[in-house]
Amino acid sequence: MDYAQLIDEYLAGPQTLRAAVAGMTAEQLDARPIPGKWSTKQVICHIADFEPVYVDRMKRVIAENEPTMFSGDPNLFAARLAYDQRDVAVELDFIALARKHMGPILRSLKPEDFQRTGIHSVRGPVALKKLLKQITDHIPHHIKFIAEKRAALA
């Protein structure tokens, strides 16, 4: 695996997310044009909530021997973490800062470091390379839903 390329993709994610929501009004960000689905603002808050979760998981796997990593329920986060009160610009900045913070740490690692594992409370052993891939893919996964919302609003 080309870890340098994966790290580049991880670091590029926040800009891709910003581009996906560029020009949306507050009303559009809060709109729920697809019944049963989160608003764009809720999606952004969800992404922001899981950035520090993954930062913590990756740091622990790098620094500790097989640390325990706890699961998080996105629906509980959405229900209890004031998504309706949060500022999208702050959330986007937070996502970018979390990744910018991790960039030098990830770039300092040797290829064998990406084989280090933590023990997820539900999924069992998870290697650093998989954690990095999961969080790198998180933004593109949600951008397609943002695009669907934008199309439905058009």
Side-chain angles (χ1 to χ4, degrees):
M1 178 175 275
D2 183 355
Y3 296 112
Q5 181 180 344
L6 183 57
I7 294 166
D8 287 346
E9 290 173 22
Y10 169 74
L11 295 173
Q15 187 55 38
T16 305
L17 181 58
R18 284 184 197 277
V21 300
M24 292 182 78
T25 66
E27 292 78 23
Q28 290 170 324
L29 290 166
D30 284 330
R32 296 178 72 172
I34 302 171
K37 301 290 183 180
W38 286 347
S39 70
T40 297
K41 180 178 183 177
Q42 289 172 310
V43 169
I44 292 167
C45 289
H46 161 74
I47 293 168
D49 282 345
F50 278 83
E51 286 297 320
V53 170
Y54 272 84
V55 165
D56 180 68
R57 288 175 181 174
M58 290 188 291
K59 282 182 170 184
R60 288 182 181 278
V61 168
I62 293 164
E64 301 174 8
N65 269 341
E66 297 187 340
T68 299
M69 301 177 292
F70 294 98
S71 185
D73 183 332
N75 291 317
L76 291 177
F77 280 44
R80 303 280 310 189
L81 297 179
Y83 281 17
D84 61 328
Q85 301 299 312
R86 289 161 61 175
D87 183 319
V88 169
V90 171
E91 302 305 310
L92 292 169
D93 288 346
F94 182 76
I95 294 163
L97 187 58
R99 292 194 181 200
K100 185 176 181 179
H101 169 78
M102 278 304 294
I105 296 168
L106 293 167
R107 291 200 191 283
S108 76
L109 301 175
K110 299 179 207 112
E112 58 268 23
D113 293 327
F114 289 91
Q115 307 309 313
R116 294 180 60 84
T117 61
I119 309 302
H120 190 275
S121 61
V122 174
R123 295 189 303 266
V126 182
L128 177 60
K129 66 181 177 181
K130 184 169 185 168
L131 290 170
L132 179 56
K133 180 74 170 133
Q134 287 172 337
I135 196 61
T136 299
D137 290 346
H138 196 216
I139 289 174
H141 168 77
H142 284 292
I143 284 177
K144 66 183 175 188
F145 301 122
I146 291 170
E148 288 173 352
K149 292 173 204 331
R150 288 190 85 149
L153 289 168

